[in-house]
Amino acid sequence: LYAAQLLAESGRRVAVFERQQQLGTTRRTWIVTDELEKIAGFIPSRAIVNRIDRIEMFSRSRANEVQLSKPDLIVERALMQPLLAERAQSAGVELYLDHGVRQMSFGPAGTELEISANALRRSFKALAPVLIGADGVRSLVARQLNASPQVAAPIVQARVRLPAGYNPSDVRVWFQRQDTRFFYWLIPESEEYGVAGLVAESTANARVLLDTFLVQQHLRPLNYQGAIIPLHQPFRQIEWRRGSARAMLVGDAAAHVKVTTVGGLVSGLWGGRAAAESIIANTSYSRNLQGLHRELYLHDFIRWLLDRFNDADYDRLLAALNPRLKQVLAECNRDSMALAALSLVTAQPALLGLGAKALLWPNLSPAARRDSQSMEPLPSD
Ligand SMILES: Cc1cc2nc3c(=O)[nH]c(=O)nc-3n(C[C@H](O)[C@H](O)[C@H](O)COP(=O)(O)OP(=O)(O)OC[C@H]3O[C@@H](n4cnc5c(N)ncnc54)[C@H](O)[C@@H]3O)c2cc1C
């Protein structure tokens, strides 16, 4: 929707085909950095439901916190999607809801789509010189272009009532290596409610792990949100040209997700902007993606190291959060880490030791081996 808006503003004719009948029906509580405003070019005030000043982190036997100098934003997807749609339509985008793309191919005159308009019970063909596949982790466009399969992890979170006295500007994060190589969280969306969840290794036990965690934290689930999140894969092809026709992937379809935090909103919008700008200027998409790639590759590397951590390493990591390191973390956000990487290491040289340990003596417990095997490609549905 954001790419469509930028293209329409540049004078292009743009049609968006979305298979849902209505936008904004599925709730999803997101936490994003204030980079959102810079990337999206506006403050989505109507979709921001809360602001976060402090991140508290817990490992097996340590706790520490980072006070943010610019608050993180809690954004509700059910409000953000209609907002992006409104902006796109005001720019002149033709938005067709309840229109699912069933097939895509390259033809002599451009990209050819077969679209089914469900309510009208008919399908028709559309032709366009350029196609952007923004169709999520199970992207049909990616599959039809034979992109390498996604590597994905399940996220599940439950909406909960916050514990009594909980500060609604605090997010909590737990590292429990025996359960997941990722993490658990509690994110407040208001003074009263929040979401508690985890990124799991496998769909088989994600819900059991979450329910056990909720019991441990004395939280009662009100309802659940869950889906598969793609993990960024360096060098996966996301742009194709055939004659004068072009196709490209953005958002989850392109796996534009930071694998440390599994955040995909800011990086998805960033990729959308890069795609639009490359169409407008007829330049290469991959060149326009350089800034985003720099960030994503750094997160890929950090994830690779963290995957080799055991509980004791997480204890050491939290213990290493000295005032200088906290200051750097407070000021550089998770979407603009590449330029701050050196400052992080200068603020706490012990990080190098932790990284070297993970590199030379990785956590090779049976759980870690099982984890690496569980990085299976996403089956196509
Ligand atoms: C539980 C959960 C929590 C998350 N929390 C965060 C967070 O805190 N912060 C953050 O930054 N990110 C978070 N994410 C990730 C974030 O939700 C995604 O990265 C983001 O939604 C990707 O947007 P997208 O538009 O690329 O894909 P999607 O949101 O999946 O949208 C794809 C769209 O394409 C449509 N579509 C699919 N196939 C077709 C077709 N064939 N024809 C027509 N339309 C089609 C779908 O209906 C859908 O509307 C979370 C994800 C989950 C699951």
Side-chain angles (χ1 to χ4, degrees):
L1 287 167
Y2 179 45
Q5 176 202 325
L6 297 177
L7 286 165
E9 281 168 356
S10 80
R12 303 297 198 279
R13 182 175 175 213
V14 190
V16 171
F17 298 105
E18 164 58 56
R19 72 175 168 198
Q20 293 178 82
Q21 288 180 338
Q22 229 186 318
L23 292 178
T25 49
T26 315
R27 282 185 71 96
R28 193 178 288 171
T29 310
W30 283 323
I31 179 165
V32 301
T33 69
D34 71 321
E35 199 77 3
L36 175 66
E37 182 188 337
K38 199 169 117 198
I39 299 293
F42 77 109
I43 307 176
S45 312
R46 235 167 60 199
I48 299 173
V49 293
N50 193 14
R51 286 183 159 75
I52 300 299
D53 294 326
R54 193 161 58 148
I55 301 186
E56 298 179 325
M57 287 161 284
F58 304 88
S59 61
R60 185 181 54 186
S61 43
R62 285 276 180 175
N64 216 325
E65 61 181 49
V66 171
Q67 192 78 36
L68 302 174
S69 52
K70 286 197 195 138
D72 271 2
L73 309 171
I74 307 298
V75 174
E76 176 47 57
R77 182 194 202 223
L79 302 170
M80 186 70 178
Q81 254 191 352
L83 186 57
L84 290 174
E86 255 176 56
R87 291 173 62 86
Q89 283 176 299
S90 309
V93 170
E94 299 161 39
L95 173 61
Y96 298 94
L97 296 178
D98 199 23
H99 280 60
V101 176
R102 293 218 313 225
Q103 226 169 330
M104 173 273 155
S105 57
F106 280 115
T111 61
E112 293 172 3
L113 300 178
E114 189 188 315
I115 295 163
S116 68
N118 295 326
L120 305 175
R121 295 216 176 121
R122 71 179 182 100
S123 53
F124 60 92
K125 293 206 188 309
L127 183 70
V130 186
L131 173 73
I132 295 183
D135 48 346
V137 61
R138 292 182 188 278
S139 168
L140 173 132
V141 176
R143 272 183 276 144
Q144 305 233 318
L145 288 168
N146 286 324
S148 358
Q150 298 265 29
V151 173
I155 298 194
V156 52
Q157 63 185 15
R159 191 152 181 266
V160 296
R161 193 181 281 276
L162 296 173
Y166 190 91
N167 183 344
S169 343
D170 285 359
V171 156
R172 287 188 184 158
V173 175
W174 291 262
F175 302 103
Q176 299 192 5
R177 195 59 187 80
Q178 73 285 5
D179 292 349
T180 174
R181 66 193 168 89
F182 298 95
F183 53 92
Y184 290 86
W185 60 82
L186 175 60
I187 301 173
E189 65 177 38
S190 66
E191 302 226 322
E192 216 177 330
Y193 296 103
V195 283
L198 83 149
V199 187
E201 304 284 347
S202 130
T203 40
N205 68 351
R207 180 65 185 271
V208 176
L209 287 174
L210 176 60
D211 286 336
T212 311
F213 175 75
L214 294 176
V215 172
Q216 283 165 4
Q217 299 296 326
H218 310 290
L219 297 168
R220 202 165 57 81
L222 302 170
N223 52 55
Y224 291 90
Q225 307 169 4
I228 295 288
I229 184 89
L231 303 177
H232 180 243
Q233 293 181 63
F235 315 118
R236 178 170 176 259
Q237 186 176 0
I238 55 170
E239 178 182 19
W240 296 260
R241 277 181 192 263
R242 201 69 49 82
S244 60
R246 290 179 79 180
M248 50 191 92
L249 303 175
V250 305
D252 277 12
H256 283 159
V257 172
K258 299 184 292 288
V259 286
T260 48
T261 61
V262 296
L265 178 60
V266 172
S267 35
L269 292 172
W270 193 340
R273 193 176 71 186
E277 285 172 354
S278 83
I279 294 167
I280 294 165
N282 196 20
T283 50
S284 127
Y285 181 33
S286 52
R287 214 182 70 203
N288 281 29
L289 281 172
Q290 273 172 5
L292 175 60
H293 277 165
R294 212 173 26 238
E295 294 298 326
L296 293 179
Y297 291 163
L298 176 65
H299 286 272
D300 292 341
F301 177 65
I302 298 172
R303 176 82 267 152
W304 189 85
L305 288 176
L306 291 176
D307 285 351
R308 279 149 185 77
F309 271 31
N310 56 25
D311 283 320
D313 295 324
Y314 273 110
D315 285 345
R316 284 185 209 108
L317 181 65
L318 294 198
L321 281 174
N322 62 17
R324 278 185 68 202
L325 183 54
K326 286 185 189 190
Q327 182 74 22
V328 179
L329 287 171
E331 277 161 20
C332 82
N333 71 47
R334 303 180 296 284
D335 290 297
S336 57
M337 295 264 299
L339 293 175
L342 191 62
S343 318
L344 290 171
V345 177
T346 322
Q348 177 50 286
L351 290 181
L352 286 176
L354 263 172
K357 193 228 155 225
L359 200 69
L360 299 171
W361 297 283
N363 170 25
L364 285 177
S365 63
R369 268 186 235 122
R370 193 195 57 225
D371 292 351
S372 59
Q373 282 160 12
S374 74
M375 293 268 295
E376 286 160 5
L378 182 70
S380 54
D381 61 352

